[in-house]
Amino acid sequence: MAAVPTKQETEDDDCSLLPIVHDIIKCMDKDSPEVHQELNKLKTKIQEAREQIAAMPGIALSPEEQQQQLQTLREQVRTKNQLLQKYKSLCMFDIPKA
């Protein structure tokens, strides 16, 4: 079964500015009137990138706060893994054979 890509995954795939810059250079070489249209595409793409960055979780936190949050989450994962191993060793989840 193929997974349907989410909006975020689709946006992540289309973040390169290079093709647009390449199109702008080609239009400038040809003295094409489409240069302004290509420049507007570039401006739109940059604005979309700014909006995505602003919407990222934790962007308002300082690097030190992000490191502290990361450390806290790692400790939680470690604790949960230890509990999971403890519960697995209790053999309470074995299905009795009839």
Side-chain angles (χ1 to χ4, degrees), residues 4-41:
V4 177
T6 63
K7 181 181 178 190
Q8 184 66 33
E9 290 171 345
T10 305
E11 289 174 354
D12 288 344
D13 292 341
D14 190 25
C15 62
S16 177
L17 300 176
L18 193 56
I20 298 173
V21 172
H22 182 260
D23 291 343
I24 292 170
I25 293 171
K26 284 194 317 188
C27 287
M28 291 174 75
D29 286 343
K30 297 178 187 176
D31 290 330
S32 174
E34 296 176 8
V35 172
H36 296 291
Q37 181 182 0
E38 295 297 326
L39 285 172
N40 285 333
K41 284 183 189 178

Side-chain angles (χ1 to χ4, degrees), residues 4 8-9 13 20 29 34-35 37 45 52 58 60 65-66 71-72 82 86 90 92 97:
V4 177
Q8 184 66 33
E9 290 171 345
D13 292 341
I20 298 173
D29 286 343
E34 296 176 8
V35 172
Q37 181 182 0
K45 195 71 155 178
Q52 286 179 353
E65 291 171 322
Q66 290 178 8
Q71 185 63 30
T72 302
Q82 289 172 349
K86 179 182 175 182
L90 292 176
M92 293 176 58
K97 295 181 180 178

Side-chain angles (χ1 to χ4, degrees), residues 40-88:
N40 285 333
K41 284 183 189 178
L42 180 62
K43 289 178 186 176
T44 302
K45 195 71 155 178
I46 291 172
Q47 185 59 35
E48 289 172 0
R50 287 180 179 152
E51 290 170 3
Q52 286 179 353
I53 291 170
M56 293 176 96
I59 195 74
L61 300 175
S62 71
E64 293 81 18
E65 291 171 322
Q66 290 178 8
Q67 286 295 328
Q68 181 61 39
Q69 188 177 27
L70 180 62
Q71 185 63 30
T72 302
L73 291 171
R74 284 183 175 158
E75 289 174 10
Q76 288 177 0
V77 168
R78 191 176 309 113
T79 302
K80 289 179 181 183
N81 279 335
Q82 289 172 349
L83 287 171
L84 184 60
Q85 292 302 320
K86 179 182 175 182
Y87 290 133
K88 281 183 178 179

